[in-house]
């Protein structure tokens, strides 16, 4: 520490030591090491410096596929919606139920449901009757009641962004603007880790609003293509149950 004022005044005046900046000890703050240089935002690393590896994308959790499967078709209830573009998910469930002899007239958790067996797996066929935008209410309630994890909830829905009658199976994904899928994601706690089959319905060629377009029936020229797409979707569902989701998603079929 530096010489105190008390000590300075105790010395004889003619021998009082002159205090200079050089005679005062350095404080701890001035003795610390210089801070590390932080690169400016957007600056490039020096040549030869190792590149920082990108964080890997999180994989969907592995699911035991031997339990009960929920096969969910999305649509709107009521006969006036039966043949509309938005109800192609319902159409798949109706055709699958008829082929498998499963009665889907029971109402449970705001959905028409039917239990049965397909390719050695127990299935619950589901058609929410909450109207499209609230589909997640019944889907989440049924999944919770039957203890079905998201990975065994297979959803069939229409897709504006695919050409009419194109069918795609995905292991997971976002809602893509589809309000039925959006509702399911929200009601199931935000998870996107459930498989889905999307059937293309195309987009309107003119200025027609999307809300009006999806509630219109398919044209005569589209109906045969959609019928084929429905059967293709049923084959995909059976392939998921018989071969497993990963194989079915990579193109394997029963």
């Amino acid at each position: 520490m530096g010489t105190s004022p008390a000590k300075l005044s105790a010395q004889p005046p003619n021998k009082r030591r002159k205090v200079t900046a050089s005679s005062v000890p350095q404080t701890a703050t001035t003795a610390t090491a210089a801070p590390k240089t932080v690169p400016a935002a957007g600056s490039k690393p020096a040549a030869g410096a190792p590149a920082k590896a990108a964080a890997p994308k999180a994989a969907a959790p592995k699911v035991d596929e031997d339990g009960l499967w929920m096969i969910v078709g999305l649509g709107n209830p009521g006969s006036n919606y039966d043949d509309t573009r938005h109800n192609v998910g319902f159409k798949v469930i109706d055709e699958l139920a008829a082929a498998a002899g499963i009665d889907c007239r029971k109402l449970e958790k705001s959905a028409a449901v039917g239990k049965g067996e397909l390719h050695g797996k127990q299935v619950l066929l589901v058609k929410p009757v909450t109207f499209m935008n609230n589909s997640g209410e019944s889907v989440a309630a049924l999944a919770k009641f039957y203890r079905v994890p998201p990975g065994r909830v297979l959803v069939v829905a229409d897709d504006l962004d695919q050409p009419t009658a194109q069918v795609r199976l995905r292991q997971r994904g976002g809602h893509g603007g589809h309000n039925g899928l959006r509702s399911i994601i929200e009601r199931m706690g935000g998870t996107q880790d459930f498989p889905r089959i999307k059937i293309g319905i195309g987009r309107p060629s003119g200025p027609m609003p999307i809300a009006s377009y999806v509630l219109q029936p398919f044209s005569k020229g589209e109906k045969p293509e959609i019928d084929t797409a429905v059967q293709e979707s049923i084959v995909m569902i059976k392939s998921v149950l018989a071969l497993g989701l990963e194989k079915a998603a990579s193109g394997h079929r029963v």
Side-chain angles (χ1 to χ4, degrees):
M1 294 180 62
T3 307
S4 67
K7 289 183 179 179
L8 287 174
S9 59
Q11 298 176 23
N14 60 345
K15 293 185 179 180
R16 183 172 294 174
R17 182 166 57 93
K18 186 178 181 180
V19 180
T20 64
S22 60
S23 66
V24 178
Q26 297 291 309
T27 63
T29 54
T30 58
T32 55
K36 294 181 180 180
T37 303
V38 179
S43 61
K44 296 181 179 180
K52 187 176 180 181
K57 291 184 178 180
K62 288 289 184 181
V63 176
D64 179 7
E65 297 187 5
D66 290 331
L68 175 70
W69 278 80
M70 281 174 54
I71 313 298
V72 182
L74 300 186
N76 289 306
S79 58
N80 51 322
Y81 296 108
D82 281 350
D83 295 320
T84 61
R85 292 180 171 88
H86 227 15
N87 271 42
V88 70
F90 272 15
K91 190 173 181 65
V92 170
I93 298 298
D94 290 340
E95 293 286 338
L96 179 59
I102 299 175
D103 187 350
C104 288
R105 291 176 295 180
K106 179 183 177 182
L107 285 177
E108 187 175 4
K109 307 292 184 186
S110 299
V113 303
K115 291 186 74 174
E117 184 176 319
L118 287 170
H119 288 276
K121 302 288 176 63
Q122 293 295 311
V123 297
L124 182 71
L125 305 186
V126 179
K127 292 167 55 179
V129 295
T130 55
F131 286 94
M132 181 66 80
N133 292 3
N134 297 315
S135 299
E137 292 181 13
S138 57
V139 174
L142 286 167
K144 181 178 180 180
F145 181 77
Y146 286 101
R147 298 182 180 180
V148 179
R152 291 205 307 267
V153 178
L154 175 55
V155 180
V156 186
D158 59 291
D159 188 1
L160 283 162
D161 294 322
Q162 292 178 199
T164 300
Q166 183 184 80
V167 184
R168 301 174 72 182
L169 169 63
R170 291 291 179 266
Q171 297 186 58
R172 65 188 304 273
H175 56 73
H178 192 287
N179 287 334
L181 292 174
R182 188 199 309 271
S183 176
I184 292 173
I185 291 171
E186 290 176 352
R187 290 287 182 160
M188 293 183 73
T191 182
Q192 300 181 4
D193 294 330
F194 59 89
R196 70 285 309 273
I197 292 173
K198 292 185 173 184
I199 302 174
I201 61 172
R203 285 185 175 269
S205 56
M208 181 185 297
I210 294 298
S212 300
Y213 175 75
V214 298
L215 296 180
Q216 282 196 341
F218 290 103
S219 68
K220 285 185 178 181
E222 292 172 327
K223 284 183 179 179
E225 296 178 328
I226 290 298
D227 288 342
T228 299
V230 167
Q231 295 306 313
E232 185 179 347
S233 300
I234 291 174
V235 171
M236 284 184 178
I237 292 170
K238 292 179 176 179
S239 299
V240 169
L241 298 173
L243 306 175
L245 178 59
E246 189 171 343
K247 282 189 175 181
S250 64
H252 294 268
R253 299 290 178 262
V254 292

